[in-house]
């Protein structure tokens, strides 16, 4: 047995402990959720949606939004230079519904410009955001999201699920990655350390947007209208999570690997703009995941410390599986539980590939 063997084994133990520490940190997500705030009155809500070439989705989305069980809300639609029938669909709804307003981007372009225009023209203090290819899971979406606000709360993070397709490995991977991301940002928030949210299901106060300067701090990058804004403005006390199933949104996932890979490159491409502590915390988590599997593989190949390494690996896998299983139950993704321990190393490998690709070539598209 060479010097390399004990070095690999003890490195494996250290990495395993670090990674398990993260999943212990995430276990707060599976604790009993706090009761909703019982609002005796309902403040108005502005739903803001910026769309570009979303004619195929807008009809179903707007119809769903109009049937929300909430006494006072408006729908603010922004057309971002669409070349399809998106604008005409918006305007047709505007003519028939007094609580719908449509704005057409002219001099500027991009999602951030569209959202900024929508917020400027929003009537109400509470702003709720989703994407054009999303649908609320129920007509209680607004009611549940608004109930998560309190006197101190300025940001509410929701869960944006994806449609389930049977027999698709890509669909399972997309939904597992979404589950893991939600497990992270919700857990960090519950630990008073919020760092991001997703634009598919997000709410915040208009006054926060205006006093913080909106997207000015990161207007030089196209993505980041959701996670960068939350990272910039979240404090230990002004963020809440809403994981009620009635408050989910459901999106159409990518159906081919190339489109998904491009989408993830864009999402990951702004992480370097997070606060330093969050970059360190997130980077260490992904490093501990990757090194856990790589070091275990190295021990297998060198046939070193096989029994203690296997026992350590099994213990970690069982604990992590339990955390995934409880989160999947809470987020209504139970079909992923059986595959979670296979999907995790697969996802880690793809994340490493995305990181390397982004290092070599910066992503440019927001859509």
């Amino acid at each position: 047995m060479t010097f390399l063997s004990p070095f690999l084994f003890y490195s494996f133990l250290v990495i395993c402990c670090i990674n398990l520490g993260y999943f212990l940190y995430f276990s707060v997500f599976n604790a009993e959720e706090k009761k909703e705030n019982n609002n005796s009155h309902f403040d108005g809500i502005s739903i803001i949606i910026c769309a570009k070439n979303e004619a195929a989705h807008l009809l179903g989305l707007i119809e769903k939004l109009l049937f929300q069980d909430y006494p006072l809300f408006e729908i603010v639609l922004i057309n971002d230079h669409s070349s399809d029938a998106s604008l005409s669909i918006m305007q047709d709804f505007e003519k028939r519904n007094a609580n719908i307003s449509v704005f057409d981007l002219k001099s500027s372009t991009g999602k951030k410009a569209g959202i900024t225009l929508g917020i400027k023209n929003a009537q109400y203090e509470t702003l709720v955001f989703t994407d054009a290819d999303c649908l609320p899971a129920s007509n209680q979406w607004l009611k549940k999201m608004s109930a998560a606000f309190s006197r101190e709360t300025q940001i509410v993070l929701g869960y944006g699920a994806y449609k389930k397709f049977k027999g698709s490995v890509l669909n399972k991977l997309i939904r597992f990655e979404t589950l893991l991301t939600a497990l992270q940002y919700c857990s960090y928030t519950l630990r008073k350390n919020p760092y991001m949210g997703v634009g598919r299901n997000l709410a915040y106060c208009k006054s926060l947007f205006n006093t913080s300067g909106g997207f000015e701090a990161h207007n030089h990058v196209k993505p980041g209208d959701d996670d960068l804004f939350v990272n910039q403005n979240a404090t230990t006390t002004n963020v809440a999570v809403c994981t009620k199933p009635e408050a989910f949104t459901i999106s159409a996932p990518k159906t081919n690997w190339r489109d998904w890979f491009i989408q993830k490159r864009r999402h990951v491409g702004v992480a370097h703009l997070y606060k330093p502590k969050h970059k360190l915390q997130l980077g260490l988590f992904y490093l501990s995941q990757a090194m856990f599997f790589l070091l275990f593989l190295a021990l297998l190949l060198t046939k070193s410390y096989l029994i203690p390494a296997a026992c350590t690996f099994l213990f970690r896998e069982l604990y992590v599986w339990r955390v995934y299983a409880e989160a999947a139950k809470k987020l209504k993704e139970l079909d992923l539980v059986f595959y979670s321990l296979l999907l995790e190393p697969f996802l880690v490998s793809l994340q490493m590939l995305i990181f390397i690709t982004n290092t070599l070539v910066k992503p440019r598209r927001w859509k």
Side-chain angles (χ1 to χ4, degrees):
M1 184 179 297
T2 65
F3 168 77
L4 181 62
S5 297
F7 175 77
L8 286 175
F9 177 68
Y10 289 113
S11 297
F12 175 66
L13 288 182
V14 171
I15 289 295
C16 183
C17 289
I18 292 172
N19 191 247
L20 280 173
Y22 274 98
F23 281 95
L24 179 63
Y25 191 81
F26 299 157
S27 64
V28 69
F29 176 69
N30 298 319
E32 185 176 353
E33 193 167 338
K34 292 181 179 179
K35 292 183 179 180
E36 298 175 356
N37 296 312
N38 294 318
N39 295 329
S40 56
H41 66 282
F42 293 92
D43 296 326
I45 290 178
S46 297
I47 305 170
I48 297 180
I49 297 163
C50 180
K52 182 174 183 177
N53 296 328
E54 295 286 0
H57 300 112
L58 282 170
L59 184 64
L61 169 61
I62 298 172
E63 288 179 344
K64 275 271 192 179
L65 295 178
L66 287 170
F67 282 97
Q68 282 295 300
D69 180 21
Y70 197 85
L72 184 62
F73 69 93
E74 65 168 346
I75 303 171
V76 181
L77 303 171
I78 306 95
N79 176 54
D80 179 16
H81 300 83
S82 297
S83 58
D84 63 4
S86 293
L87 180 58
S88 61
I89 291 172
M90 293 178 185
Q91 291 173 335
D92 183 58
F93 274 102
E94 182 183 31
K95 293 174 184 176
R96 295 182 281 115
N97 299 274
N99 65 335
I100 293 182
S101 300
V102 175
F103 299 91
D104 192 19
L105 277 176
K106 297 292 186 181
S107 59
S108 55
T109 184
K111 192 175 183 182
K112 288 179 180 176
I115 291 176
T116 301
L117 178 63
I119 293 174
K120 180 180 178 181
N121 289 278
Q123 298 182 50
Y124 305 118
E125 168 69 3
T126 301
L127 311 174
V128 178
F129 302 85
T130 190
D131 290 339
D133 61 349
C134 298
L135 291 173
S138 77
N139 68 348
Q140 301 298 303
W141 176 51
L142 290 184
K143 190 173 287 186
K144 297 296 182 181
M145 288 291 284
S146 66
F149 279 94
S150 66
R151 185 181 303 174
E152 298 83 13
T153 304
Q154 295 177 294
I155 303 171
V156 173
L157 312 179
Y159 178 58
Y162 282 105
K163 291 180 182 177
K164 300 177 183 180
F165 298 150
K166 291 184 178 180
S168 170
V169 174
L170 175 60
N171 181 257
K172 286 183 172 58
L173 183 69
I174 290 173
R175 292 190 295 114
F176 176 75
E177 191 268 340
T178 304
L179 171 73
L180 176 57
T181 301
L183 177 62
Q184 288 179 273
Y185 71 73
C186 288
S187 299
Y188 274 69
T189 300
L190 294 170
R191 298 282 189 183
K192 306 298 182 184
N193 185 24
Y195 75 93
M196 70 159 282
V198 293
R200 301 189 305 276
N201 199 357
L202 176 66
Y204 51 79
C205 297
K206 183 175 181 177
S207 57
L208 176 66
F209 184 87
N210 291 332
T211 57
S212 67
F215 302 131
E216 290 178 7
H218 45 85
N219 220 17
H220 58 288
V221 292
K222 290 185 178 181
D225 56 279
D226 46 9
D227 58 342
L228 289 182
F229 180 80
V230 173
N231 191 262
Q232 172 189 334
N233 295 290
T235 69
T236 59
T237 59
N238 74 343
V239 187
V241 299
C242 179
T243 54
K244 299 292 184 183
E246 302 92 336
F248 293 174
T249 59
I250 303 172
S251 306
K254 301 298 182 184
T255 55
N256 66 73
W257 289 92
R258 179 180 178 276
D259 287 348
W260 176 77
F261 191 80
I262 292 172
Q263 182 187 57
K264 294 315 300 175
R265 283 193 63 205
R266 185 180 74 247
H267 292 169
V268 174
V270 297
H272 68 284
L273 297 173
Y274 287 1
K275 293 176 182 176
K277 69 171 183 177
H278 294 135
K279 288 192 290 186
L280 177 62
Q281 291 165 348
L282 294 169
L284 183 58
F285 170 66
Y286 290 118
L287 179 63
S288 70
Q289 269 191 312
M291 292 304 297
F292 173 79
F293 293 110
L294 289 174
L295 287 171
F296 182 67
L297 179 62
L299 288 169
L300 291 180
L301 292 175
T302 59
K303 298 180 181 180
S304 306
Y305 296 88
L306 289 180
I307 293 179
C311 291
T312 303
F313 182 86
L314 182 61
F315 177 80
R316 184 267 181 191
E317 292 292 275
L318 289 174
Y319 182 81
V320 168
W321 178 84
R322 180 181 174 183
V323 175
Y324 282 143
E326 291 178 352
K329 180 180 179 181
K330 191 168 187 176
L331 297 178
K332 306 302 177 184
E333 303 283 8
L334 279 173
D335 63 306
L336 296 176
V337 174
F338 181 77
Y339 304 97
S340 60
L341 296 184
L342 295 175
L343 290 170
E344 186 188 24
F346 188 26
L347 179 62
V348 169
S349 301
L350 289 173
Q351 287 171 329
M352 291 176 63
L353 179 60
I354 289 170
F355 175 77
I356 294 170
T357 305
N358 277 8
T359 302
L360 298 175
V361 182
K362 299 299 180 184
R364 296 181 182 275
R365 300 187 297 178
W366 80 262
K367 183 175 170 55

